[in-house]
Amino acid sequence: MGVLDKIIDAIVNLVVFIWDNTCAILNVVIPKLEPGHVVPKGAPGHGQKWPPYVPPKADDSRSACPMLNAMANHGILPHDGKNISFQELNTKIRQTYNFAPSFCFFVPRFAAGFLNKSYFNDRFELEELSMHSEKAIEHDASLTRHDVALVPDQGKPDQRLVLDLLKTATGKCPDGSPQMTIPDLSRALSRRRADARKSNRAYSESFFHNLFGSANSATMLTIFGGRIDDLKPMLMEERFSDNWEPRILDRFGLTMAKFNFTVIPVERGVDPKKFQ
């Protein structure tokens, strides 16, 4: 990346930061969405009615992200997981999960960057997002996948890992059903990082990847409200549970600013030494 490109990138990131914080402030002063009306009218999932779930075929492209795979499995993204534009991904994530528009621009643009593609002009397939490198977002010690050095195909969840994760839930929803908590996720990540260090000779981690791992986990608490009844089909089959909708009711969606209030406590609670 040349000097000019770095300057442009810094300016764009500054604008996104201001945009995101503006959305966060507006979310405080503007009335929230009504439950049952989070997904916008005309978008798949409006009224808690999702397109039919169709499992992926052998030649379909899938990523290491359950939430993106679910969108393909329900036909919100192309079912084969191919020929997707970054701008399409932006729009569909916003509609499906109620992330803030700033968030939905930042992440696909970041993905385009580590794939050396143009956010505005190029297309990709889901499998490409599983690229394992220091600059990419795929990381070791995932809660739903074994490391890429051990299992190169990151498109399918490991059922045992997911079941072990779901069993760690100690919270309770108002109706008494099990619910994941911040300490639960910190503990699960601690165990996974300790186990991955032992089983994977090529294991690597960095502050960025650890934080991103905690961010992935934090979506379970924010978008899914930690509810095991919703997380089980999402993480095991990569599909939406019946009558599901995002638990974020903010009118401008989940901002990065607000998200960090969950991500940082999750990561601060991680201590792999407890499981060595």
Side-chain angles (χ1 to χ4, degrees), residues 15-190:
V15 171
V16 171
F17 175 80
I18 295 172
W19 182 15
D20 188 76
N21 279 274
T22 300
C23 289
I25 294 170
L26 291 173
N27 280 337
V28 174
V29 299
I30 294 178
K32 295 187 181 299
L33 297 165
E34 292 291 329
H37 300 276
V38 177
V39 177
K41 188 175 182 179
H46 174 70
Q48 300 172 313
K49 297 178 180 179
W50 297 96
Y53 166 78
V54 180
K57 295 181 293 186
D59 59 347
D60 287 340
S61 182
R62 293 294 184 266
S63 72
C65 175
M67 293 168 67
L68 294 182
N69 293 347
M71 292 171 68
N73 292 338
H74 283 272
I76 299 168
L77 292 174
H79 188 270
D80 64 2
K82 302 175 183 179
N83 197 34
I84 304 168
S85 75
F86 294 99
Q87 294 182 77
E88 176 186 10
L89 184 65
N90 177 333
T91 300
K92 296 297 185 181
I93 290 177
R94 171 90 172 102
Q95 294 175 342
T96 303
Y97 294 113
N98 197 27
F99 282 101
S102 49
F103 210 145
C104 294
F105 170 76
F106 179 82
V107 175
R109 180 177 175 273
F110 182 80
F114 71 70
L115 292 176
N116 293 317
K117 294 189 176 187
S118 166
Y119 169 83
F120 295 101
N121 301 316
D122 291 336
R123 292 176 175 268
F124 69 99
E125 60 180 73
L126 291 177
E127 185 177 359
E128 292 181 80
L129 299 179
S130 298
M131 183 177 75
H132 190 77
S133 79
E134 294 180 358
K135 297 181 179 180
I137 55 180
E138 196 282 326
H139 55 88
D140 288 335
S142 163
L143 292 178
T144 65
R145 268 90 169 150
H146 284 293
D147 296 349
V148 68
L150 305 178
V151 182
D153 181 7
Q154 293 288 295
K156 299 178 181 179
D158 183 277
Q159 301 297 304
R160 175 50 56 188
L161 284 179
V162 174
L163 285 173
D164 288 346
L165 168 65
L166 297 177
K167 287 189 297 186
T168 65
T170 62
K172 294 290 183 182
C173 296
D175 63 2
S177 59
Q179 184 178 36
M180 194 75 68
T181 68
I182 286 176
D184 294 337
L185 282 176
S186 296
R187 191 164 49 251
L189 285 166
S190 299

